[in-house]
Amino acid sequence: MPSTLASQDSDGPSDQAANIANAKARQDDFSYSNGFVIGLRQLWTMLKRNTILQIRYRRSTIAQTLVGPILFLFLLWILQEADTNVQLRSNYHPKPWALPGISQCQGRTPSDPCINIMFTPDTPEVRQILTALNSRNQQREPAASLDFEEAMTASDLTTLPTTTLGMVPVPNGQFIYDYTLQNPNTTRFGIEFSIVEGPPKNFVYQTWFNFTNTANVTDPFGDSMLSLTRAVDEAILLVTDSSTADLSVSLKDFPLVPPKVANDMVVSSLGPMFFFCSMMIVFICVLNQVVTEKELHLRHSMQMMGLKTIVYWASWWLSNALLVFVSAIVTVGFGIAFDFVVFTNSNFFVMLITFFLFGVSMVSMAFWITTMVKASRTAILIGIFLFIIGLLFESMVFSNSFVGYIWYDSSTPSVAKYCLMFIPFFNFGKAFLDMSVFASGRFDVLTETYIPGPGFKWGDLYNNIPKEYTVPYDDARTRYPQVPAPIESWYLMLMNVGFFLILTLYFDQVVADDYGNRRHPLFFLDPSFYGLHFRKKQSTREWIKSQVANKTTRDAKMKKMTRNRDDVPVEDDDDEDVAAERSLALDADFETQARICNLQKVFQESTFKKSPLDKIAVKDLCLTLQEGKLLALLGQNGAGKSTTMNMLSGLTRSTGGDALFYGLSMNSEMQEIRSMMGVCPQHDILFDDMTAEEHIQLYAGLKNVPKHEIPKLTEERLKAVRLWKVKDRLSHTYSGGMKRRLSMVISTLGDPRIIFLDEPTTGMDPTNRRHVWSFIEKFKKGRIIILTTHSMEEADILGDRICVMAHGRLRAIGNSIHLKNKFGAGYRISMMTDPANTELVKSLIEAKVPGCILKDDSAGALLYQFPPTSMGSIPRLVQWLEGVDGGSGSARATPSNRSEQGSNANSGRSSPFLGASSGAEHISQPTGVDAETSAGKLVHGYGISQTSLEEVFLKLIRDANPDGYQGYEVSKPAHDEKQSSDSQLRNRGTGR
Ligand SMILES: Nc1ncnc2c1ncn2[C@@H]1O[C@H](COP(=O)(O)OP(=O)(O)OP(=O)(O)O)[C@@H](O)[C@H]1O
């Protein structure tokens, strides 16, 4: 694989091909050869992650799948039971006064067959009494014969009489109870005799009447009950000797029929509302989960590591669909367990699918809402608001079937119907209503009775709802068109799923994210969105040309905008190194693996209007980047480092310019670049409830690292940053430094070729920092690494090239030595002498090193600064200091202690001072040095240090802020440390 773009930069035939081949080869290194396969791998990885999180957030998962459904079913059951007790007295026996004529049997309708009298026991004596009763009771039932019928058996309990029956012997009183319970309104009277032989012979009997609905009305059965008992009494007296007989009678109601035998009123009418509430738990959890992930930038982090947008949504959708499925099973299962007729009398799978479709349509709607919300609190508030609205809607619309079906009234405006189609809970309410009218039954206005439903079978999905089920009044039925078949509610819920998912994907692109990224509203018309690139790929030369042309246009526009305005700052000219770097970046013949050209980011104050005073975070940045070379970006807070990193990593869109990585354009081929990229963002983006090992597995999966390599990779990387021992601990238990190390390691997964490290060692202790440094140092081979830091030591040690940014512009570039030499103040020497010799020493030093500046003179402690111009004299001075006995306490700088001093001294890389002092040819021999003026006599000790990178940095920042130095807090402690080391030296020397 070519390591440079040398051959590509000619406009020759190999130009573009080599570029692409290079990029392709890079991608193939990571097995990113097939987008679809990668997508599937990512989906699997994300599903595993979601499952881990759902297990860790078990309270929310249990609430969604178990507690919610069971709680609301239980509440329904309580209401149902309460309602049963109320309903017991009123509903289930007929109200005969509402009928055209009272039937002889008080049957279901006047013409329905029924049983006139049930009696027990079937003995000759009882039959004798009843025969007498019949003979004396003819006038009550002129139309019916009260003949004895065939005895009923227990198996007859469940059957309705098919013909009108006279007097039916039954096995016992319990039979009368059970039969009338199972078959309400089929029996007029029951009589149970219990004859105790005398004397006196005791005739005890109990009569059963249908006494329901007698509370507040004139009881039409009171008379017949009295006439029956009188007739029975007379019949007994007829068949026995009245002087030796005792009669006692007790009266009883037929058993009160529990409403569920006929109807499930509460569940039918309140079901849509309660199941909506249960589903809202899922809805609000989804809102919270997805928005929190966005708010904490977890999603961005995964996207920067190559996660595809479609995979992200698909994984959440599938995970939630699974939860919804479990929730649907629990709902239907417990609905059956609670013995709700709508559940027990409907096809199990119809119920299950209906609840599942309702759940996934609500989840899809929640997804759509998450695309418009940035804060999880707002998301929850929106969820609660929708909850209240939905609750009101469901309670109003589905409180009874008539209102529920009113939407099919021809007088309901079509627009209302079409709007309702897009509300998942309306479609669910309709489906549930359809099932309950079939399963539970309906109220018949004519007879004022509830008619049990036939049950909801699979086939009923396809049939239109019978009109008598939907509208109780005949006249209204004519106004209603046919109510659609229940299956239509399924179709509508499926449509809702598709509709909201499409909206989700669309809004996700066009609504600006936290970084201000958004696509054009018509982005889907651009073929490149679908990965189709019809335009010829530009060669590097063409690409550079277009960048230059764009900048010219941009500058012209800016000039026009700022004409006649003196409040717009005028930019300084580039430093010569910066200018040279710009030329290199714009030179197509220069070989490099990556280049940044005229990169710009403007944060607009107003979304709609550009202003010359908009915040320019990065301005016309030009850089070249090479493999194996780490570029350290330095800059004060707000200099534009993170914005630069964010643009290069695709987190933020640039507002001008572009970057080319291995021939791939940052603006148009970011997805491909991401496959070769690793990012350690400024703030740790970790899943609180995942362990270090799970993080590595997640990101390695997203990066398509071969499965078998992941365990070894995990061990190796976690050991390298000393996290192996805590690999099983959840990340929220880590210290700041541990989190940083984990973030760092994540950025190196998938063997990335380009790595962005944004302040990777912030918050780490010195030992771990050094571990991370050596890890980066080893890892940078063959990779492009850009690192931002506020640690000068870090930049000095790691940076092969160091850039200093201020106000979004590049101010200086070069290696550490170059910058120190160019911008540094030279060297400092501190020495100790007797106060009496101070003046002599001063004159000697000033003679040896012309131009040196005395910075401090107190009690024999001298501090001199030698500007870069006096570099040549320093060896002579050192010779003088070293040529004689340096005296006790000599504090010579050595490579080792210099490197330990960090930014306070040379880094130990290749100090020009050391080079000079070790090269004999540069050292002038001391001349005219006599014993009186030898350093051994005069100087007790000395220390020497080169200008630190920090001083260079401070100088550059000061220069970039001519109106006043803007505080740079990080520098302070290091500076103080330096001063204290100088004073320590003085103290040692003087013994004070
Ligand atoms: N989303 C934004 N909207 C408006 N201005 C922004 C936005 N993000 C950054 N800026 C501004 O852009 C400038 C550069 O910010 P950036 O975060 O890149 O600085 P930095 O060099 O990374 O600082 P630090 O060292 O503090 O991380 C700052 O003035 C900042 O206020």
Side-chain angles (χ1 to χ4, degrees), residues 514-516 603-604 615-618 635-644 646 682-683 758-759 788 790 805 808:
D514 270 2
Y515 299 93
F603 289 106
Q604 271 180 237
K615 177 75 205 168
I616 303 179
V618 177
Q636 64 194 128
N637 293 129
K641 305 179 299 291
S642 297
T643 308
T644 304
N646 290 345
Q682 190 173 44
H683 302 289
D758 201 349
E759 301 180 25
T788 72
H790 284 293
M805 284 182 81

Side-chain angles (χ1 to χ4, degrees), residues 174-233:
Q174 185 63 41
F175 188 98
I176 298 173
Y177 180 91
D178 290 342
Y179 187 84
T180 51
L181 178 69
Q182 298 288 328
N183 306 288
N185 308 318
T186 55
T187 309
R188 189 168 187 193
F189 297 115
I191 308 175
E192 183 183 7
F193 289 93
S194 140
I195 302 167
V196 184
E197 291 300 330
K201 198 168 184 179
N202 197 0
F203 288 87
V204 181
Y205 69 93
Q206 177 180 292
T207 53
W208 308 72
F209 293 89
N210 186 350
F211 269 179
T212 49
N213 278 317
T214 57
N216 298 318
V217 292
T218 310
D219 176 14
F221 300 114
D223 291 345
S224 48
M225 182 266 291
L226 280 176
S227 54
L228 177 77
T229 49
R230 206 179 67 195
V232 174
D233 286 350

Side-chain angles (χ1 to χ4, degrees), residues 57 95 204 207 244 334 382 384 426 457 597 636 896 924 963 976:
Y57 303 143
K95 296 176 180 171
V204 181
T207 53
T244 59
F334 275 81
I382 290 178
I384 293 170
F426 174 77
K457 295 173 286 303
C597 290
Q636 64 194 128
S896 60
S924 315
D963 300 337
D976 293 347

Side-chain angles (χ1 to χ4, degrees), residues 53-287:
L53 291 180
Q54 280 167 345
I55 291 169
R56 300 270 152 81
Y57 303 143
R58 50 184 164 274
R59 274 195 216 147
S60 135
T61 308
I62 291 173
Q64 291 175 65
T65 51
L66 287 176
V67 179
I70 296 174
L71 176 73
F72 286 102
L73 281 165
F74 181 65
L75 289 178
L76 266 182
W77 179 79
I78 292 176
L79 290 178
Q80 176 73 59
E81 287 301 298
D83 186 60
T84 299
N85 288 328
V86 175
Q87 301 281 353
L88 277 174
R89 287 229 143 255
S90 57
N91 275 340
Y92 295 99
H93 290 291
K95 296 176 180 171
W97 53 90
L99 305 179
I102 299 173
S103 88
Q104 58 173 350
C105 293
Q106 302 166 20
R108 289 147 285 154
T109 65
S111 55
D112 278 343
C114 63
I115 299 164
N116 209 317
I117 295 176
M118 273 186 179
F119 69 93
T120 187
D122 187 11
T123 61
E125 192 173 17
V126 169
R127 282 199 177 223
Q128 222 182 340
I129 295 168
L130 289 178
T131 307
L133 168 73
N134 193 11
S135 64
R136 299 187 61 78
N137 203 33
Q138 283 299 317
Q139 71 280 12
R140 278 182 64 246
E141 303 295 345
S145 131
L146 285 179
D147 294 340
F148 292 107
E149 308 289 345
E150 284 302 308
M152 292 184 79
T153 63
S155 64
D156 295 323
L157 260 182
T158 51
T159 58
L160 287 165
T162 48
T163 56
T164 297
L165 302 171
M167 292 186 290
V168 180
V170 294
N172 48 40
Q174 185 63 41
F175 188 98
I176 298 173
Y177 180 91
D178 290 342
Y179 187 84
T180 51
L181 178 69
Q182 298 288 328
N183 306 288
N185 308 318
T186 55
T187 309
R188 189 168 187 193
F189 297 115
I191 308 175
E192 183 183 7
F193 289 93
S194 140
I195 302 167
V196 184
E197 291 300 330
K201 198 168 184 179
N202 197 0
F203 288 87
V204 181
Y205 69 93
Q206 177 180 292
T207 53
W208 308 72
F209 293 89
N210 186 350
F211 269 179
T212 49
N213 278 317
T214 57
N216 298 318
V217 292
T218 310
D219 176 14
F221 300 114
D223 291 345
S224 48
M225 182 266 291
L226 280 176
S227 54
L228 177 77
T229 49
R230 206 179 67 195
V232 174
D233 286 350
E234 284 174 8
I236 292 170
L237 295 175
L238 254 177
V239 298
T240 189
D241 178 1
S242 59
S243 59
T244 59
D246 267 356
L247 268 74
S248 53
V249 59
S250 60
L251 309 176
K252 253 195 182 177
D253 270 5
F254 279 144
L256 298 169
V257 183
K260 64 167 57 88
V261 171
N263 193 271
D264 228 355
M265 253 311 281
V266 170
V267 182
S268 306
S269 56
L270 298 184
M273 197 167 86
F274 274 63
F275 297 122
F276 166 77
C277 293
S278 161
M279 200 49 77
M280 278 311 282
I281 296 179
V282 179
F283 186 84
I284 291 176
C285 285
V286 170
L287 278 182

Side-chain angles (χ1 to χ4, degrees), residues 534-582:
F534 294 122
R535 255 179 272 144
K536 185 176 163 277
K537 193 170 166 61
Q538 285 179 321
S539 68
T540 306
R541 192 177 296 282
E542 286 164 346
W543 179 83
I544 289 173
K545 259 189 210 161
S546 70
Q547 297 311 316
V548 172
N550 289 346
K551 179 174 180 313
T552 312
T553 318
R554 217 161 61 208
D555 288 349
K557 271 191 194 161
M558 183 54 106
K559 212 169 175 183
K560 211 169 152 191
M561 255 200 287
T562 55
R563 204 171 37 208
N564 304 328
R565 290 190 67 151
D566 50 12
D567 52 349
V568 178
V570 179
E571 298 293 349
D572 304 341
D573 288 340
D574 279 339
D575 164 87
E576 62 206 19
D577 295 326
V578 173
E581 183 72 9
R582 179 184 298 281

